[in-house]
Short mmCIF file of all heavy atoms in Angstrom, two decimals:
data_model
loop_
_atom_site.label_atom_id
_atom_site.label_comp_id
_atom_site.label_asym_id
_atom_site.label_seq_id
_atom_site.Cartn_x
_atom_site.Cartn_y
_atom_site.Cartn_z
N PRO A 1 52.43 191.71 44.65
CA PRO A 1 51.23 192.05 43.87
C PRO A 1 49.97 192.22 44.71
O PRO A 1 48.98 192.74 44.17
CB PRO A 1 51.11 190.80 42.86
CG PRO A 1 52.47 190.26 42.87
CD PRO A 1 53.06 190.43 44.25
N LYS A 2 49.98 191.72 45.91
CA LYS A 2 48.81 191.72 46.73
C LYS A 2 48.87 192.94 47.74
O LYS A 2 48.04 193.05 48.66
CB LYS A 2 48.61 190.44 47.50
CG LYS A 2 48.27 189.31 46.61
CD LYS A 2 48.10 187.99 47.38
CE LYS A 2 47.64 186.88 46.53
NZ LYS A 2 46.18 187.09 46.15
N ILE A 3 49.85 193.85 47.55
CA ILE A 3 49.94 194.99 48.45
C ILE A 3 49.35 196.23 47.75
O ILE A 3 49.69 196.51 46.66
CB ILE A 3 51.39 195.28 48.87
CG1 ILE A 3 52.03 194.05 49.52
CG2 ILE A 3 51.48 196.51 49.76
CD1 ILE A 3 53.53 194.23 49.83
N SER A 4 48.47 196.93 48.46
CA SER A 4 47.97 198.22 47.96
C SER A 4 48.83 199.28 48.66
O SER A 4 48.66 199.55 49.84
CB SER A 4 46.49 198.36 48.35
OG SER A 4 45.71 197.42 47.67
N PHE A 5 49.74 199.86 47.86
CA PHE A 5 50.62 200.89 48.40
C PHE A 5 49.90 202.23 48.47
O PHE A 5 48.90 202.48 47.80
CB PHE A 5 51.93 200.95 47.59
CG PHE A 5 52.74 199.77 47.68
CD1 PHE A 5 52.88 198.92 46.51
CD2 PHE A 5 53.41 199.45 48.80
CE1 PHE A 5 53.70 197.79 46.61
CE2 PHE A 5 54.21 198.31 48.91
CZ PHE A 5 54.35 197.43 47.79
N ASP A 6 50.47 203.14 49.27
CA ASP A 6 49.88 204.50 49.39
C ASP A 6 48.42 204.43 49.72
O ASP A 6 47.59 205.22 49.27
CB ASP A 6 50.13 205.28 48.10
CG ASP A 6 51.56 205.46 47.76
OD1 ASP A 6 52.33 205.87 48.68
OD2 ASP A 6 51.94 205.15 46.61
N THR A 7 48.04 203.48 50.59
CA THR A 7 46.68 203.22 50.99
C THR A 7 46.58 203.17 52.47
O THR A 7 47.03 202.20 53.13
CB THR A 7 46.15 201.99 50.36
OG1 THR A 7 46.33 202.00 48.94
CG2 THR A 7 44.66 201.72 50.68
N GLU A 8 46.02 204.18 53.10
CA GLU A 8 45.98 204.21 54.56
C GLU A 8 44.59 203.82 55.12
O GLU A 8 43.56 204.34 54.67
CB GLU A 8 46.31 205.66 55.05
CG GLU A 8 46.29 205.75 56.55
CD GLU A 8 46.82 207.06 57.11
OE1 GLU A 8 46.94 208.01 56.27
OE2 GLU A 8 47.07 207.17 58.27
N VAL A 9 44.60 202.88 56.00
CA VAL A 9 43.33 202.49 56.71
C VAL A 9 43.15 203.41 57.91
O VAL A 9 44.05 203.59 58.72
CB VAL A 9 43.40 201.07 57.19
CG1 VAL A 9 42.19 200.66 57.97
CG2 VAL A 9 43.62 200.07 56.04
N THR A 10 41.97 204.05 57.95
CA THR A 10 41.75 205.00 59.02
C THR A 10 40.78 204.50 60.04
O THR A 10 40.71 205.04 61.19
CB THR A 10 41.16 206.31 58.48
OG1 THR A 10 39.95 206.02 57.71
CG2 THR A 10 42.18 207.01 57.53
N ALA A 11 40.05 203.41 59.79
CA ALA A 11 39.16 202.85 60.80
C ALA A 11 38.87 201.39 60.43
O ALA A 11 38.90 201.04 59.23
CB ALA A 11 37.87 203.65 60.86
N ALA A 12 38.56 200.62 61.41
CA ALA A 12 38.11 199.24 61.31
C ALA A 12 37.03 198.96 62.26
O ALA A 12 37.16 199.25 63.42
CB ALA A 12 39.35 198.27 61.42
N ALA A 13 35.92 198.36 61.76
CA ALA A 13 34.78 198.05 62.67
C ALA A 13 34.29 196.69 62.32
O ALA A 13 34.22 196.26 61.15
CB ALA A 13 33.68 199.12 62.47
N PHE A 14 33.96 195.91 63.38
CA PHE A 14 33.37 194.59 63.21
C PHE A 14 31.87 194.75 63.11
O PHE A 14 31.21 194.97 64.10
CB PHE A 14 33.79 193.72 64.37
CG PHE A 14 33.58 192.21 64.12
CD1 PHE A 14 34.23 191.54 63.03
CD2 PHE A 14 32.75 191.47 64.89
CE1 PHE A 14 34.14 190.27 62.77
CE2 PHE A 14 32.59 190.10 64.64
CZ PHE A 14 33.25 189.50 63.64
N VAL A 15 31.36 194.52 61.90
CA VAL A 15 29.93 194.73 61.61
C VAL A 15 29.28 193.54 61.05
O VAL A 15 29.71 193.05 59.97
CB VAL A 15 29.75 195.96 60.68
CG1 VAL A 15 28.21 196.21 60.45
CG2 VAL A 15 30.38 197.21 61.26
N ASP A 16 28.30 192.97 61.69
CA ASP A 16 27.54 191.79 61.23
C ASP A 16 28.46 190.70 60.84
O ASP A 16 28.31 190.01 59.81
CB ASP A 16 26.66 192.20 60.02
CG ASP A 16 25.63 193.27 60.38
OD1 ASP A 16 25.16 193.22 61.52
OD2 ASP A 16 25.23 194.05 59.53
N GLY A 17 29.45 190.41 61.66
CA GLY A 17 30.32 189.24 61.49
C GLY A 17 31.46 189.45 60.46
O GLY A 17 32.12 188.47 60.20
N ARG A 18 31.64 190.66 60.00
CA ARG A 18 32.73 190.97 59.05
C ARG A 18 33.43 192.21 59.48
O ARG A 18 32.86 193.06 60.20
CB ARG A 18 32.17 191.06 57.60
CG ARG A 18 31.43 189.86 57.12
CD ARG A 18 31.24 189.93 55.61
NE ARG A 18 32.50 189.56 54.96
CZ ARG A 18 32.88 189.94 53.73
NH1 ARG A 18 32.13 190.81 53.08
NH2 ARG A 18 33.93 189.48 53.21
N TRP A 19 34.70 192.34 59.01
CA TRP A 19 35.44 193.54 59.29
C TRP A 19 35.29 194.56 58.18
O TRP A 19 35.48 194.25 56.98
CB TRP A 19 36.92 193.24 59.45
CG TRP A 19 37.23 192.53 60.72
CD1 TRP A 19 37.44 191.31 61.01
CD2 TRP A 19 37.46 193.29 61.92
NE1 TRP A 19 37.68 191.10 62.32
CE2 TRP A 19 37.78 192.32 62.95
CE3 TRP A 19 37.46 194.69 62.32
CZ2 TRP A 19 37.96 192.61 64.29
CZ3 TRP A 19 37.70 194.97 63.64
CH2 TRP A 19 37.90 193.96 64.60
N ARG A 20 34.89 195.73 58.49
CA ARG A 20 34.65 196.85 57.53
C ARG A 20 35.79 197.85 57.74
O ARG A 20 35.93 198.47 58.84
CB ARG A 20 33.33 197.51 57.75
CG ARG A 20 33.02 198.68 56.80
CD ARG A 20 31.67 199.26 57.09
NE ARG A 20 30.56 198.26 56.86
CZ ARG A 20 29.33 198.39 57.28
NH1 ARG A 20 28.98 199.48 57.94
NH2 ARG A 20 28.48 197.50 57.00
N LEU A 21 36.56 197.98 56.70
CA LEU A 21 37.71 198.96 56.75
C LEU A 21 37.34 200.24 56.04
O LEU A 21 36.73 200.17 54.94
CB LEU A 21 39.01 198.37 56.08
CG LEU A 21 39.47 197.00 56.66
CD1 LEU A 21 40.83 196.65 55.97
CD2 LEU A 21 39.61 197.05 58.14
N THR A 22 37.69 201.31 56.64
CA THR A 22 37.53 202.63 56.00
C THR A 22 38.91 203.20 55.64
O THR A 22 39.83 203.13 56.50
CB THR A 22 36.78 203.61 56.88
OG1 THR A 22 35.52 203.04 57.26
CG2 THR A 22 36.57 204.97 56.22
N PHE A 23 39.08 203.76 54.47
CA PHE A 23 40.36 204.23 54.04
C PHE A 23 40.39 205.80 53.93
O PHE A 23 39.26 206.42 53.96
CB PHE A 23 40.67 203.65 52.62
CG PHE A 23 40.74 202.17 52.65
CD1 PHE A 23 39.57 201.47 52.43
CD2 PHE A 23 41.93 201.51 52.89
CE1 PHE A 23 39.62 200.03 52.50
CE2 PHE A 23 41.97 200.12 52.91
CZ PHE A 23 40.83 199.41 52.72
N ALA A 24 41.56 206.33 53.88
CA ALA A 24 41.71 207.78 53.92
C ALA A 24 40.98 208.49 52.82
O ALA A 24 40.57 209.64 52.94
CB ALA A 24 43.23 208.12 53.88
N ASP A 25 40.79 207.81 51.65
CA ASP A 25 40.07 208.42 50.52
C ASP A 25 38.60 208.21 50.65
O ASP A 25 37.89 208.62 49.67
CB ASP A 25 40.59 207.79 49.21
CG ASP A 25 40.33 206.33 49.04
OD1 ASP A 25 39.78 205.73 50.00
OD2 ASP A 25 40.69 205.77 48.02
N GLY A 26 38.09 207.64 51.74
CA GLY A 26 36.67 207.43 51.97
C GLY A 26 36.14 206.13 51.46
O GLY A 26 34.98 205.79 51.74
N ASP A 27 36.93 205.38 50.85
CA ASP A 27 36.49 204.02 50.34
C ASP A 27 36.26 203.08 51.53
O ASP A 27 36.93 203.26 52.53
CB ASP A 27 37.53 203.49 49.33
CG ASP A 27 37.10 202.15 48.77
OD1 ASP A 27 35.90 201.92 48.55
OD2 ASP A 27 38.03 201.25 48.44
N ARG A 28 35.50 202.03 51.33
CA ARG A 28 35.24 201.05 52.34
C ARG A 28 35.32 199.67 51.66
O ARG A 28 34.81 199.48 50.57
CB ARG A 28 33.84 201.23 52.97
CG ARG A 28 33.80 202.47 53.91
CD ARG A 28 32.46 202.44 54.66
NE ARG A 28 32.45 203.62 55.58
CZ ARG A 28 31.34 203.83 56.35
NH1 ARG A 28 30.26 203.05 56.27
NH2 ARG A 28 31.37 204.81 57.29
N GLN A 29 35.85 198.75 52.46
CA GLN A 29 35.88 197.34 51.97
C GLN A 29 35.63 196.47 53.14
O GLN A 29 35.99 196.79 54.30
CB GLN A 29 37.27 196.99 51.34
CG GLN A 29 37.58 197.79 50.08
CD GLN A 29 38.92 197.37 49.47
OE1 GLN A 29 39.21 196.21 49.40
NE2 GLN A 29 39.62 198.33 48.97
N GLU A 30 35.09 195.25 52.88
CA GLU A 30 34.81 194.32 53.96
C GLU A 30 35.57 192.98 53.78
O GLU A 30 35.83 192.54 52.64
CB GLU A 30 33.31 194.03 53.99
CG GLU A 30 32.51 195.22 54.47
CD GLU A 30 31.04 194.82 54.77
OE1 GLU A 30 30.65 193.67 54.52
OE2 GLU A 30 30.29 195.71 55.21
N PHE A 31 36.00 192.38 54.90
CA PHE A 31 36.75 191.15 54.93
C PHE A 31 36.26 190.20 56.06
O PHE A 31 35.72 190.71 57.04
CB PHE A 31 38.24 191.49 55.11
CG PHE A 31 38.87 192.28 54.01
CD1 PHE A 31 38.73 193.70 54.00
CD2 PHE A 31 39.54 191.60 52.99
CE1 PHE A 31 39.28 194.40 52.97
CE2 PHE A 31 40.04 192.42 51.90
CZ PHE A 31 39.97 193.76 51.96
N ASP A 32 36.58 189.00 55.92
CA ASP A 32 36.21 188.03 56.92
C ASP A 32 37.12 188.13 58.15
O ASP A 32 36.70 187.87 59.29
CB ASP A 32 36.21 186.59 56.40
CG ASP A 32 35.17 186.38 55.31
OD1 ASP A 32 34.05 186.79 55.42
OD2 ASP A 32 35.59 185.81 54.24
N ALA A 33 38.35 188.41 57.90
CA ALA A 33 39.33 188.47 59.02
C ALA A 33 40.29 189.65 58.85
O ALA A 33 40.41 190.16 57.69
CB ALA A 33 40.18 187.19 59.06
N LEU A 34 40.75 190.16 59.96
CA LEU A 34 41.63 191.28 59.92
C LEU A 34 42.94 190.99 60.71
O LEU A 34 42.83 190.45 61.86
CB LEU A 34 40.96 192.51 60.56
CG LEU A 34 41.80 193.76 60.83
CD1 LEU A 34 42.34 194.37 59.49
CD2 LEU A 34 40.98 194.80 61.57
N ILE A 35 44.09 191.28 60.11
CA ILE A 35 45.36 191.15 60.83
C ILE A 35 45.96 192.59 60.89
O ILE A 35 46.28 193.15 59.86
CB ILE A 35 46.36 190.20 60.17
CG1 ILE A 35 45.76 188.78 60.11
CG2 ILE A 35 47.68 190.19 60.86
CD1 ILE A 35 46.57 187.82 59.33
N CYS A 36 46.11 193.11 62.08
CA CYS A 36 46.65 194.45 62.27
C CYS A 36 48.15 194.36 62.56
O CYS A 36 48.57 193.90 63.61
CB CYS A 36 45.94 195.17 63.34
SG CYS A 36 46.35 196.95 63.57
N ALA A 37 48.99 194.74 61.55
CA ALA A 37 50.42 194.66 61.69
C ALA A 37 51.05 196.07 61.52
O ALA A 37 52.02 196.23 60.76
CB ALA A 37 50.98 193.70 60.68
N THR A 38 50.47 197.03 62.26
CA THR A 38 50.93 198.42 62.11
C THR A 38 52.20 198.72 62.85
O THR A 38 52.88 199.68 62.53
CB THR A 38 49.83 199.39 62.58
OG1 THR A 38 49.47 199.02 63.85
CG2 THR A 38 48.56 199.29 61.62
N GLY A 39 52.57 197.89 63.85
CA GLY A 39 53.82 198.06 64.57
C GLY A 39 53.60 199.18 65.59
O GLY A 39 52.70 199.87 65.62
N GLN A 40 54.65 199.25 66.44
CA GLN A 40 54.60 200.23 67.51
C GLN A 40 55.32 201.57 67.10
O GLN A 40 55.23 202.53 67.83
CB GLN A 40 55.40 199.67 68.71
CG GLN A 40 54.80 198.41 69.27
CD GLN A 40 55.57 197.89 70.49
OE1 GLN A 40 56.05 198.71 71.28
NE2 GLN A 40 55.64 196.61 70.58
N LEU A 41 55.98 201.65 65.99
CA LEU A 41 56.69 202.80 65.56
C LEU A 41 56.21 203.41 64.31
O LEU A 41 56.87 204.04 63.53
CB LEU A 41 58.17 202.47 65.43
CG LEU A 41 58.90 201.77 66.60
CD1 LEU A 41 60.29 201.34 66.33
CD2 LEU A 41 58.85 202.71 67.82
N SER A 42 54.91 203.24 64.07
CA SER A 42 54.35 203.69 62.83
C SER A 42 53.92 205.13 62.81
O SER A 42 53.70 205.73 61.75
CB SER A 42 53.11 202.80 62.45
OG SER A 42 52.10 202.90 63.36
#
């Protein structure tokens, strides 16, 4: 239930102490921490 499917992150930037994610549809969201688990074969 906590997975957003068909949702691609296109950029991540650390801005003012938080992670700002940009998505393929242009949306942006901010988080305190980021775990990148994209793998080597993505």
Side-chain angles (χ1 to χ4, degrees):
K2 292 180 173 290
I3 303 177
S4 295
F5 294 111
D6 300 309
T7 304
E8 183 174 11
V9 177
T10 56
F14 195 60
V15 181
D16 297 328
R18 304 194 77 207
W19 284 98
R20 180 179 298 166
L21 303 187
T22 302
F23 300 87
D25 63 0
D27 186 30
R28 288 185 176 180
Q29 296 184 39
E30 292 190 356
F31 297 84
D32 296 314
L34 171 64
I35 298 174
C36 188
T38 53
Q40 300 180 35
L41 305 175
S42 61

